[in-house]
Amino acid sequence: MTSSARLTPATIALLLVPPLMWAGNAVVGRMMYQTIPPITFNFVRWVLAGLLLLPLAGWVLRPGSGLWAHRRRFALLGLLGVGLYNTLQYLALKTSTPLNVTLVAASIPVWMMLVGRLCYQVPISRRAVAGALLSFCGVVVVLTRGQLVQLDAIRFVPGDGWILLATLAWAFYSWLLVRPPAGGYPAHIQGDWAAFLLAQIAFGLCWSGLMTTGEWLWPQGDGAPPAIQWGWPLVLALVYVATGPSLLAYRCWGLGIARVGPTVASFFNNLTPLFAALMSALMLGDMPRPYHAVGFILIVGGILVSSRR
């Protein structure tokens, strides 16, 4: 699928769901970073998501389903989409500010274009570059609250490196969905969204489980062992991240990039900081400000410019 495919209202609706869910995921992840270790949080999240999918697609885990003959391909998808991306994001939210995390994550369209060009020989059009710059400007407006002088106050920390690695993982993951290795994915698995996602989760949990083991064995900075503070806030947070950002968002993302390609779809990621800002404003009781409207116009303008033929 080329990135020049036209956006239809149905496709726009599909691609609006993931940034909305992921904005909530960033807010919840930031709220929970002192309640549960970040890598463990990601592991428990996908365990719950996998359990929810078992009644719908448990057949894919059986020996004769065709999954295990293509285990290397699904193991790679599970590593990038389930293991690395979400783990790195939660790690970033532990050590970095939401401002820096969302600013670095806004570079996803750039990495999408570079991965497509270097690995899949997909040309980068001037229109795509213009759309990326326009959309990025909208992100900057939102993050600086319309006062560009606040850019001088930004200080990068190790957590910003984690989110940069996360964006690279997500770029490769998205391209692998539409440009699979030679031979592709089994049609009967790829055609069933629940089975296709559960296959990724099955291998992703193996990677995430190894990372979680390392998190609990590795000494903490203060010398104290990791701990989980169980309670209703954590339970509700896990229910949300296991359903919205995991199942619903991944389903809509896969459908969206199948229609318009990873490059155009990636521009919708830049709506995530805008949604996050609106959620934060709602939680704090503040009304939306004019800069939210300006940022929204620029971000949507970038999406429209990049997707036009």
Side-chain angles (χ1 to χ4, degrees):
M1 180 68 66
T2 65
S3 61
S4 60
R6 290 188 181 276
L7 286 170
T8 64
T11 302
I12 292 174
L14 282 173
L15 291 174
L16 284 176
V17 172
L20 181 61
M21 294 292 102
W22 292 331
N25 183 53
V27 173
V28 171
R30 180 64 177 175
M31 293 171 61
M32 292 292 109
Y33 84 95
Q34 291 183 326
T35 304
I36 183 173
I39 302 178
T40 303
F41 188 44
N42 181 62
F43 178 72
V44 178
R45 163 191 176 176
W46 287 108
V47 167
L48 294 176
L51 291 175
L52 291 174
L53 286 178
L54 276 179
L56 297 176
W59 61 267
V60 78
L61 302 179
R62 298 171 183 170
S65 67
L67 167 63
W68 306 107
H70 300 84
R71 56 186 176 275
R72 292 184 179 179
R73 302 171 189 178
F74 284 100
L76 182 57
L77 285 178
L79 173 63
L80 295 173
V82 174
L84 283 180
Y85 175 72
N86 296 279
T87 294
L88 293 171
Q89 184 185 46
Y90 290 141
L91 281 173
L93 288 169
K94 180 179 179 180
T95 58
S96 183
T97 64
L99 173 63
N100 284 18
V101 167
T102 50
L103 181 60
V104 175
S107 64
I108 285 181
V110 176
W111 300 117
M112 288 286 194
M113 289 188 290
L114 291 178
V115 170
R117 183 69 182 92
L118 295 176
C119 299
Y120 300 97
Q121 290 75 53
V122 176
I124 301 177
S125 66
R126 294 180 180 179
R127 190 178 297 278
V129 174
L133 292 176
L134 188 62
S135 189
F136 184 77
C137 287
V139 173
V140 172
V141 169
V142 173
L143 296 178
T144 61
R145 298 177 179 271
Q147 301 177 10
L148 298 182
V149 294
Q150 290 193 16
L151 288 174
D152 295 336
I154 294 178
R155 297 293 182 269
F156 291 98
V157 296
D160 304 321
W162 292 126
I163 195 62
L164 179 60
L165 291 176
T167 60
L168 286 171
W170 189 252
F172 279 104
Y173 170 80
S174 297
W175 275 107
L176 282 172
L177 290 180
V178 293
R179 298 290 181 90
Y185 306 112
H188 65 291
I189 296 179
Q190 190 173 15
D192 185 332
W193 75 271
F196 192 60
L197 182 54
L198 184 58
Q200 300 173 55
I201 292 175
F203 288 98
L205 284 177
C206 296
W207 297 110
S208 183
L210 291 174
M211 299 176 194
T212 302
T213 301
E215 182 179 46
W216 284 82
L217 295 178
W218 194 267
Q220 302 297 303
D222 56 2
I228 301 176
Q229 301 176 20
W230 289 104
W232 282 113
L234 178 56
V235 172
L236 293 176
L238 287 171
V239 170
Y240 170 75
V241 299
T243 54
S246 300
L247 302 183
L248 183 59
Y250 272 62
R251 169 58 170 162
C252 292
W253 181 257
L255 289 174
I257 65 171
R259 296 187 180 190
V260 297
T263 301
V264 173
S266 68
F267 286 94
F268 282 82
N269 276 296
N270 284 351
L271 290 170
T272 302
L274 176 63
F275 290 150
L278 293 175
M279 288 180 183
S280 299
L282 181 63
M283 293 175 62
L284 294 174
D286 296 329
M287 296 299 293
R289 304 297 178 85
Y291 64 81
H292 287 125
V294 174
F296 178 79
I297 292 172
L298 290 172
I299 292 171
V300 173
I303 295 171
L304 295 177
V305 168
S306 65
S307 63
R308 290 185 61 189
R309 294 185 183 275

